[in-house]
Amino acid sequence: MASHEPVFDAVVLPHLRRGDWLTLLLGGICVALLTFKLWSGDLADKAIIRSGGKIFREVPLSRDQQIEVPGPLGTSIIAIRQRKARIASDPSPRQYCVRQGWLQQSGEIAICLPNQVSVELTGSTRKYDSLNY
Amino acid sequence: MTASTIENRGEGKKPSSILLDTTAEDHHVARMAAVALGLTILESAIPSPLPGVKPGLANIVTLIVLARYGWRVAVWVSLLRVVAGSLLFGNFLAPGFFLSLSGAVCSLAALAFAQHLPARWFGPVSHSIYAAFTHIAGQMLVVYLWLIPHAGIAYLIPIFAAAALVFGTVNGLIAARFLDPEYEKLSTKNMKGTN
C-alpha cells in the first residue's frame, strides 16, 4: 500500500521509529480495550425516573407509555417506546434533556436540571448480585 | 525568568520606562508560547463534533521545544500558553481553564518520563501519543471529580481515547517533520529572505 502513496512514504514512514510503532500498537490496544469494556454494556431494560432527587417511578422499557412527572417549573413528559426512553417535553428554558433524544443503553441518563427531573436507564444484570454472596 | 531586577537603562538620563531585565531565553520562551497561542486560537475556529475533542495543535510546539531545548523550557511554554490563552478567551479560573491546566500538567508529567525513552527507538510520535493520552486522562479525572461526578461519562472515554490516539499521532508526525534535519535545511534556506 505504501508504495502507491508517495506522501505516506515521504511524510509518515521516516518519522516512525521502531518504538513509535510499539506505542501506536499499545495505544490501539488501549482504545480497543476501553471501547470493549465501556461500550459492551447490555441494553437497558428499566428506566428510573427521578424528580427532585427522589425516585419518582421505576418503569420497565418493555411497555410503550408516556409518563408525566411534576417538577418545580411544570410537567415533564417522558416517553418510552420500542425499549427506548426519552424526555418528550420539558419546561426547562434550554431544552438540553429533550434534545438529547432517545436513550437506549444501560447507564445513559437525561437530566433536566431546571425542572429537577431525570431519566436513567439500567440493565437487569448488576455486577454484584445475590450469587456473589 | 530568573533575573527580574529593575534596571535603569537611562545612563544618566531620566529613565522613560521601567524595563525588566530579561534574558535571551526568556524571549525565546515567549516567542514559542506566542506561536502555541496562535495555534490554539486557530484551532478554536475549527468546529468540533463533541466538546473536548480538539486536535491540540499547540502541543506540536511543546513537542518541538521539548526535543530542542529540554523539558524545563517545554513546561514554561506549555503553561504560559494555557494561562495566556485563558486570558485571551476570557475563561481564566473558569472550568475550561482548569481543564486545560490539568491536561497540560498531566501531559508534561508524562513527557518528563517519555523524554528518557531511548531516542533510537522512540521519537516525537511516541512522546505525542503518551502526552495525548495523559492529557485526556487528567481532564476526565477533573471532569469526574469536580464537574460531572456521574459514572455516565465513562461512555465518552472510548471516543476521547480514540481521538487522543489519532491526534497524538498526527501532531507527533508534524513535530517530527519540523525536527527533521533535512526539512530544517530546506526551511532555513527559504526563510532567509523573510527572516
Side-chain angles (χ1 to χ4, degrees), chain A residues 10-12 14-24 26-28 30-31 34-35 38-39 41 105-109 120, chain B residues 117-127 129-130 133 150 152 154-159 161-162 165 169 172-173 176-177 180:
Chain A
V11 177
V12 176
H15 303 307
L16 283 173
R17 301 167 203 176
R18 225 172 276 171
D20 293 338
W21 286 107
L22 187 74
T23 306
L24 266 171
L26 279 178
C30 192
V31 170
L34 280 173
T35 311
L38 297 173
W39 282 2
Q105 279 212 315
S106 169
E108 282 192 287
I109 185 164
E120 184 182 2
Chain B
L117 288 168
R120 220 166 86 84
W121 291 317
F122 295 93
V125 178
S126 288
H127 297 165
I129 292 172
Y130 291 130
F133 271 111
H150 188 277
Y155 280 93
L156 295 174
I157 289 176
I159 299 173
L165 183 61
T169 309
L173 284 170
R177 189 158 161 75
D180 191 341

Side-chain angles (χ1 to χ4, degrees), chain A:
Chain A
M1 182 195 119
S3 60
H4 300 298
E5 293 182 32
V7 178
F8 187 81
D9 261 4
V11 177
V12 176
L13 284 182
H15 303 307
L16 283 173
R17 301 167 203 176
R18 225 172 276 171
D20 293 338
W21 286 107
L22 187 74
T23 306
L24 266 171
L25 186 72
L26 279 178
I29 292 172
C30 192
V31 170
L33 279 180
L34 280 173
T35 311
F36 181 74
K37 193 119 180 84
L38 297 173
W39 282 2
S40 66
D42 51 341
L43 291 180
D45 60 1
K46 198 169 65 173
I48 300 174
I49 299 164
R50 288 187 180 85
S51 176
K54 285 189 282 288
I55 292 179
F56 176 74
R57 262 176 83 181
E58 285 190 21
V59 291
L61 293 176
S62 48
R63 196 163 67 84
D64 293 0
Q65 58 181 324
Q66 287 218 342
I67 299 152
E68 293 186 1
V69 189
L73 291 186
T75 309
S76 304
I77 297 173
I78 288 156
I80 291 171
R81 210 172 63 194
Q82 293 174 359
R83 301 196 68 82
K84 289 183 287 188
R86 71 162 174 162
I87 293 176
S89 90
D90 182 74
S92 305
R94 281 176 290 275
Q95 302 281 307
Y96 286 136
C97 56
V98 177
R99 297 201 327 230
Q100 205 171 338
W102 292 103
L103 310 178
Q104 192 167 22
Q105 279 212 315
S106 169
E108 282 192 287
I109 185 164
I111 306 169
C112 305
L113 270 184
N115 206 26
Q116 298 179 13
V117 169
S118 74
V119 188
E120 184 182 2
L121 301 193
T122 54
S124 55
T125 48
R126 290 267 152 89
K127 271 211 173 118
Y128 301 101
D129 55 17
S130 54
L131 285 175
N132 294 34
Y133 297 106

Side-chain angles (χ1 to χ4, degrees), chain B residues 19-40:
Chain B
L19 286 174
L20 293 177
D21 192 12
T22 49
T23 63
E25 198 205 347
D26 294 343
H27 292 198
H28 187 72
V29 166
R31 209 173 293 134
M32 284 296 175
V35 174
L37 207 54
L39 285 174
T40 309

Side-chain angles (χ1 to χ4, degrees), chain B residues 28-97:
Chain B
H28 187 72
V29 166
R31 209 173 293 134
M32 284 296 175
V35 174
L37 207 54
L39 285 174
T40 309
I41 293 167
L42 186 82
E43 178 178 274
S44 70
I46 304 172
S48 162
L50 189 74
V53 175
K54 284 194 286 185
L57 296 174
N59 299 319
I60 298 168
V61 178
T62 312
L63 288 169
I64 294 173
V65 169
L66 176 78
R68 286 217 185 123
Y69 310 104
W71 186 73
R72 215 183 57 85
V73 184
V75 170
W76 268 114
V77 169
S78 180
L79 294 185
L80 265 180
R81 196 259 306 164
V82 169
V83 174
S86 74
L87 290 175
L88 270 181
F89 288 115
N91 64 357
F92 181 57
L93 299 185
F97 166 73

